Amino acid sequence: MWSNIKDILKYTFSSVISLIALVVFFFIFDFDFWTSIGLTIGLGAFLYYIQAGGRMQWSLKAKKQRGTLGKVSADKEAFYHSKGMTKEQIAYFRSTMDQAKNTIQDIESNLQQRSKLKAIAARNDTVDILKDFFKNIVNQPNRLHEVDKFLYTNLPNLKELTDKYIAIDGHVSKTKETYTALDNCSKTIDDMCRLIAEDYVRFMSNDIEDMDIELELAKQVLKRDNEGKSNENALDEEL
């Protein structure tokens, strides 16, 4: 609300300045008083509409893009049903993951705003892990219960910590205590990034186990093939 009031005041001030400039312009070119006033008010209102109206439309569009979920597609709904999910579970899952997506986008933006945070993110592959983690959860919605800690604790905490770091680092005047707080915050952010990496590895361990099983099966097939070839050679030798 306060942001909207500030926008209105800003555009009103801008329009008043424009009105004064227009009045001066019209009087310089000898327009009569009432014509000058009428033209000034008309053009001033137009300028205000362009600035304030355009800004509000952009704001509403941004909120709509981020704040609301569209209707689930038929293919995606069929995919959810194939995982045994009910209508209520689908709605809950989509809402949860939409919130997670917004949080990840905020974290990515925060991590790019300070060199210290960039270094921490690069060291832990944080952004790539977050995006791949999100993709794999979306592709395996029936495993939502396995990522409670990531979605409801570690992910929001990382966002709050990066928000806090940026806010403190933005102080115009910094004291020894400020730098100590920044150092402590950055260390906690580093720890949180490692925790999220551990969440990711734990979730993806099923893929590793599946790969190990497939490798073992492949080895057994190759072994049988080799034994078969050996037997064929033995038969040839006997002939």
Side-chain angles (χ1 to χ4, degrees):
M1 180 180 177
W2 175 240
S3 177
N4 291 334
I5 292 173
K6 288 196 294 184
D7 283 342
I8 291 171
L9 291 174
K10 180 175 69 174
Y11 295 125
T12 301
F13 177 77
S14 175
S15 297
V16 169
I17 296 299
S18 300
L19 287 172
I20 294 172
L22 288 169
V23 168
V24 173
F25 172 81
F26 290 138
F27 276 116
I28 288 174
F29 286 92
D30 294 328
F31 284 87
D32 66 68
F33 177 78
W34 292 111
T35 301
S36 299
I37 294 298
L39 289 171
T40 299
I41 292 173
L43 288 173
F46 176 74
L47 288 172
Y48 182 86
Y49 172 79
I50 292 297
Q51 292 182 87
R55 169 72 177 180
M56 289 177 182
Q57 287 180 2
W58 181 88
S59 178
L60 287 172
K61 183 179 179 182
K63 288 180 180 178
K64 182 178 180 181
Q65 288 177 342
R66 181 161 179 165
T68 59
L69 271 171
K71 185 179 179 181
V72 62
S73 68
D75 289 343
K76 199 66 179 180
E77 188 173 24
F79 167 74
Y80 289 137
H81 286 313
S82 73
K83 299 294 183 179
M85 298 174 69
T86 65
K87 183 178 179 180
E88 291 74 19
Q89 289 173 329
I90 293 171
Y92 177 75
F93 176 78
R94 296 183 72 226
S95 175
T96 299
M97 295 312 296
D98 185 59
Q99 179 60 51
K101 179 181 71 175
N102 292 337
T103 303
I104 290 171
Q105 289 172 341
D106 289 339
I107 291 171
E108 182 179 12
S109 175
N110 286 349
L111 292 173
Q112 295 301 313
Q113 292 187 41
R114 297 294 187 272
S115 58
K116 181 72 173 180
L117 298 184
K118 280 184 181 181
I120 292 172
R123 182 165 59 250
N124 294 284
D125 294 323
T126 303
V127 174
D128 288 340
I129 284 175
L130 288 175
K131 291 182 177 180
D132 197 59
F133 205 169
F134 177 86
K135 182 185 74 173
N136 279 279
I137 296 171
V138 169
N139 290 334
Q140 302 176 73
N142 52 313
R143 296 181 65 191
L144 183 65
H145 63 283
E146 297 179 30
V147 289
D148 286 353
K149 184 179 177 183
F150 167 69
L151 290 175
Y152 305 118
T153 303
N154 293 345
L155 190 63
N157 283 348
L158 181 56
K159 179 187 178 301
E160 290 176 9
L161 285 166
T162 53
D163 284 342
K164 181 180 178 182
Y165 184 94
I166 292 170
I168 296 173
D169 193 49
H171 292 180
V172 175
S173 177
K174 295 182 177 68
T175 63
K176 181 180 179 181
E177 288 74 17
T178 306
Y179 288 109
T180 299
L182 286 171
D183 186 54
N184 290 337
C185 190
S186 66
K187 288 178 181 177
T188 308
I189 290 171
D190 200 10
D191 291 340
M192 189 58 64
C193 288
R194 285 198 295 270
L195 282 176
I196 286 175
E198 291 174 6
D199 291 339
Y200 172 75
V201 170
R202 195 158 38 245
F203 186 82
M204 300 301 290
S205 62
N206 280 9
D207 287 350
I208 297 172
E209 291 172 4
D210 290 343
M211 183 178 69
D212 289 342
I213 293 171
E214 289 176 6
L215 285 173
E216 186 60 34
L217 290 173
K219 287 177 182 178
Q220 292 177 12
V221 172
L222 289 171
K223 183 179 179 181
R224 286 198 298 269
D225 287 347
N226 289 332
E227 289 175 350
K229 289 178 181 179
S230 296
N231 290 336
E232 288 176 4
N233 292 335
L235 288 173
D236 289 340
E237 289 174 0
E238 288 178 0
L239 290 171

